[in-house]
Amino acid sequence: MIRLSDVGVRVPVAGPPGSKVLLDHVDLRLAEHRIALVGANGSGKSTLLRLLNGLIVPTSGRVEVDGHDTRTESAAVRRRVGFTFTDPLSQLVLPTPLDDVELSLRARVRDRGERRRLALDWLDRYGLAAVAEQSIYDLSGGERQLAALVSVLAVEPSTLVCDEPTTLLDLRNRNLVSQVLSALPHQVIVATHDLALAGQCERVLLIDAGRVCADGAPAEVLDRYRELMA
Amino acid sequence: MRPTVSVFGGHLPGDSVWHRAGVGWKYLVVLALTLPALCVQQPWLTATGLVAVVGCLALCRLPARAMFAIPVALLVLLLVLGVFQLVVGRPDLAFVVPGNVLLAVWAARLIIVTTPASVLVDALVAAADRVPFVDGERFGLAVGIMLRSVPFLSGAFYDVRDAARARGLERHWVARLTPVVVRAVGFAQATGDALAARGLAEGRPSAPHPRV
Ligand SMILES: Nc1ncnc2c1ncn2[C@@H]1O[C@H](COP(=O)(O)OP(=O)(O)O)[C@@H](O)[C@H]1O
Ligand SMILES: [Mg+2]
């Protein structure tokens, strides 16, 4: 369970007023199995997601994952919460999916042969065995997004945070990635502009100008979202 | 973003003798192929080295283009090196110097094309681990990330060049280089974030920094 208590995030900026508010007074308990964040570009979705696995820490208030403070226990937090970026190319740091998944396993599996076998196994589970040793630049958009996802799953987190996982994809690949996400046993927290994906979640949060302005079942929150965007 | 053929190429799977050879042997063969020519600077040694490396590359049984292709930038470099030696009155070196560069590039390909990056990196890690005060794993990770970023950065360069052309700014160096630098910094930050997100980077998390 992830808990945000009166969280605020500000960044210093040049000139008055000296800082910009990215998030303000966010109080949340995130326990549902499927949670979506919707909101306009620049509303603060990515900032909120980055708080959840300690990529950033709040300037005020606190964020806890299963009781671990992201500020002081980042290692425990990152083991529990995996994070995928919108652009899989920023996520995959090594030349091939296989290398990248092996990298994720490096901390836990010392033996090289074993690591390789496990990495192939992970890729195979998501239909990526055939492209395991291809350059990540030669994969389709969907394969790349899945490879990025697998490299995070290989760390075996219990919660997966996905920042706009389908935004860069065409319809076919969007469906593919949505299906994979919805079949995961993990808790999934996803920021998205894809209303179909948000509609499948148990709970939807609407973010506007750094605040949570609606929170509840998809039907009502998505209606609010449409009104707000009209 | 357009990926590009890099000077050294990337791993291509296969089952030739070279693919099956141990990475330590490959490093040894590459040294044996290149060191004599690089040290002695004799045309016949460079020529022998080139013939030998071409023979070795042919044994990989991969498309000739992938093995022998010489990117335009490298070709220009080789020509410049050759012409320079002619101009300074060393016709013998006009073949040896560019020949040795080509020899080194092809020899490097012999390893890089036939060995998965993870194996290459592990071999380097094992070697680096024997050096005092060097953390082999971190070193290997750095090398892997470097291999990965070469196509990204050269791709960024071509994208930006095309974008500059599309706006009629092809002669404007600031318009061509600034975005590449911005992307390189962005890429470095994203890589750091990606490692941190998987718990692979140490250091304490911080509040967001102002963006570049
Ligand atoms: N490090 C930063 N420095 C300055 N401004 C930032 C930084 N990070 C985010 N912002 C700004 O904060 C706002 C929210 O950003 P973000 O959380 O990325 O929004 P979203 O993901 O909903 O599009 C945007 O206006 C963005 O430009
Ligand atoms: Mg965002």
Side-chain angles (χ1 to χ4, degrees), chain A residues 11-13 20-22 39-48 163-164, chain B residues 208-211:
Chain A
V11 280
V13 288
K20 176 175 174 185
V21 176
L22 306 190
N41 290 327
S43 55
K45 301 182 296 297
S46 299
T47 305
L48 179 49
D163 194 358
E164 300 191 27
Chain B
H209 300 291
R211 279 197 189 129

Side-chain angles (χ1 to χ4, degrees), chain B residues 21-87:
Chain B
V23 60
W25 289 109
K26 292 192 228 185
Y27 278 117
L28 274 183
V29 169
V30 165
L31 286 181
L33 281 173
T34 51
L35 273 186
L38 291 176
C39 296
V40 183
Q41 308 256 328
Q42 287 286 329
W44 66 271
L45 258 179
T46 300
T48 313
L50 283 171
V51 171
V53 82
V54 166
C56 290
L57 284 170
L59 283 179
C60 300
R61 291 186 300 169
L62 288 167
R65 257 201 86 229
M67 305 308 296
F68 300 109
I70 303 174
V72 184
L74 177 59
L75 196 62
V76 171
L77 175 71
L78 296 177
L79 279 175
V80 169
L81 287 174
V83 169
F84 173 77
Q85 297 297 341
L86 283 179
V87 170

Side-chain angles (χ1 to χ4, degrees), chain B residues 90-179:
Chain B
R90 295 291 304 271
D92 52 331
L93 291 185
F95 168 71
V96 169
V97 173
N100 283 350
V101 172
L102 186 60
L103 176 62
V105 168
W106 275 348
R109 265 191 211 165
L110 197 55
I111 297 189
I112 291 172
V113 172
T114 60
T115 322
S118 58
V119 176
L120 264 181
V121 170
D122 281 335
L124 283 173
V125 169
D129 254 341
R130 298 203 193 112
V131 181
F133 308 115
V134 173
D135 177 345
E137 290 271 305
R138 305 223 109 215
F139 173 73
L141 183 57
V143 172
I145 290 171
M146 212 176 65
L147 286 175
R148 148 83 171 82
S149 53
V150 169
F152 176 87
L153 292 177
S154 50
F157 182 78
Y158 289 112
D159 275 2
V160 167
R161 185 190 62 184
D162 290 350
R165 272 190 191 147
R167 289 195 285 161
L169 293 172
E170 59 267 67
R171 295 191 178 278
H172 201 297
W173 278 96
V174 175
R176 287 186 50 178
L177 283 180
T178 315

Side-chain angles (χ1 to χ4, degrees), chain A residues 6-10 21-27 60 209-212:
Chain A
D6 195 19
V7 164
V9 177
R10 263 162 283 126
V21 176
L22 306 190
L23 283 179
D24 202 20
H25 294 301
V26 177
D27 255 303
S60 58
R211 285 172 175 267
V212 178

